[in-house]
Amino acid sequence: MEKLSLTIGWLYPELMSTYGDRGNIQVLSKKCVWSNIKVKILPIDHNTSINELKNIDLLFGGGSQDIQQEIVMRDLRGKGLVIKELIERNIPALFVCGSPQIMGKYYEPAEGKKIEGLGVFDMTTLNPGLTKPRCIGNIIAEVELDGTDGTDSPKTIIIGFENHGGRTYLGKTAKPFAKVTHGFGNNGEDGTEGIIYKNAIGCYFHGPLLPKNPEIANYLLKKALSVKYNREIGLRYNSDDILSIKAKQIISSRYID
Ligand code: GLN
């Protein structure tokens, strides 16, 4: 039987990994090793060729400050077409905070010019700077994801923390990733958190997200495997996952308003 393998693309690790978002890559990589899946992490930067990008099975982007988002876009713009093709081909992706903002239609930073985004997501983000407080704190939300095995219902509680100035507003065709039960989420007004389009997730969850919420890690890996091998491939939860899920239940119960 052929050994399963996955290539995980990681957007600009040197510029976009605020608040430990690189921990998400560690979880995806370890879960592959534990499941006997050969994994290659492809750091994406100005040296990465279009051909290398085309072979990605799962894409990840972390958070960053406004300056780094502007720097990243100088190179990412030239990769926009192939990234949109990956998403349209149902390749799964997880973008956290600063990276979904530039995957949207535009990100207007607190200072400087508006940053035109790749338009993967039907959303816009405006950072009001010092005129409004940053959205900082613990965040809890409810997601409904098909195929999150190990849960007795597709409804899953996720926890993490957020730290962003940007306020994101979803377009008419957009579907929120989650519903906020505690915290700000996209804008602190409409109760939405993040966005999901095909198998691409954008969210404001730092933490990092995946060690605290193994259901999302399994969801992404299962989607990557089913797209690549054109069949459903199960992924079990290990003892660490069960511990994380238990811890999450305790933490989230403290915040039920
Ligand atoms: N610079 C963006 C903002 O302030 C994203 C911040 C982040 O990635 N944590 O909204």
Side-chain angles (χ1 to χ4, degrees):
M1 170 124 149
E2 71 173 315
K3 183 164 169 99
L4 301 175
S5 68
L6 287 175
T7 298
I8 300 174
W10 181 6
L11 289 175
Y12 307 90
E14 297 311 312
L15 290 164
M16 299 191 89
S17 183
T18 42
Y19 313 120
D21 288 338
R22 63 183 60 244
N24 292 303
I25 287 286
Q26 287 160 357
V27 166
L28 292 169
S29 172
K30 266 288 174 221
K31 272 183 166 285
C32 285
V33 170
W34 291 336
S35 304
N36 197 26
I37 298 168
K38 191 162 168 271
V39 60
K40 177 185 172 198
I41 305 297
L42 174 70
I44 296 168
D45 59 23
H46 60 285
N47 294 318
T48 310
S49 72
I50 296 297
N51 264 343
E52 286 177 292
L53 290 173
K54 283 182 177 166
N55 292 323
I56 285 170
D57 302 306
L58 200 165
L59 184 58
F60 171 73
S64 74
Q65 302 313 333
D66 292 8
I67 301 279
Q68 286 88 351
Q69 287 170 282
E70 196 279 322
I71 296 169
V72 161
M73 276 318 280
R74 292 178 205 161
D75 179 66
L76 184 60
R77 213 160 267 126
K79 298 176 165 70
L81 210 56
V82 65
I83 286 182
K84 286 173 95 168
E85 280 165 8
L86 289 171
I87 304 300
E88 288 303 320
R89 204 159 49 78
N90 289 316
I91 294 290
L94 172 64
F95 302 113
V96 176
C97 206
S99 38
Q101 290 176 339
I102 55 179
M103 291 290 157
K105 291 183 174 173
Y106 63 77
Y107 172 58
E108 201 156 327
E111 285 166 17
K113 284 192 306 188
K114 182 195 286 190
I115 302 171
E116 294 302 326
L118 295 190
V120 167
F121 291 139
D122 178 12
M123 66 183 227
T124 57
T125 303
L126 169 68
N127 189 333
L130 300 176
T131 61
K132 281 188 180 176
R134 282 183 72 83
C135 302
I136 298 177
N138 291 323
I139 178 169
I140 299 173
E142 185 180 277
V143 300
E144 279 192 52
L145 285 177
D146 62 333
T148 39
D149 56 4
T151 56
D152 52 9
S153 84
K155 275 204 172 69
T156 304
I157 293 291
I158 54 174
I159 65 168
F161 79 86
E162 58 187 325
N163 184 333
H164 54 101
R167 268 64 173 182
T168 291
Y169 297 91
L170 302 183
K172 290 190 176 45
T173 67
K175 184 176 169 229
F177 167 54
K179 194 171 69 176
V180 177
T181 54
H182 175 85
F184 296 93
N186 283 333
N187 49 51
E189 298 158 23
D190 61 15
T192 64
E193 203 298 321
I195 188 168
I196 186 165
Y197 171 68
K198 288 185 175 263
N199 290 327
I201 294 171
C203 70
Y204 276 111
F205 275 79
H206 295 295
L209 172 72
L210 297 183
K212 293 175 184 280
N213 304 281
E215 303 93 333
I216 310 299
N218 279 26
Y219 171 86
L220 291 166
L221 291 170
K222 283 178 63 177
K223 287 290 182 189
L225 290 166
S226 66
V227 168
K228 181 168 186 175
Y229 294 102
N230 199 23
R231 59 190 169 95
E232 285 308 307
I233 297 170
L235 275 180
R236 285 192 308 277
Y237 285 122
N238 63 24
S239 52
D240 294 324
D241 295 332
I242 302 301
L243 218 51
S244 297
I245 292 171
K246 280 203 168 43
K248 170 163 55 168
Q249 286 159 352
I250 293 168
I251 293 290
S252 52
S253 66
R254 289 182 190 159
Y255 284 90
I256 291 181
D257 296 335

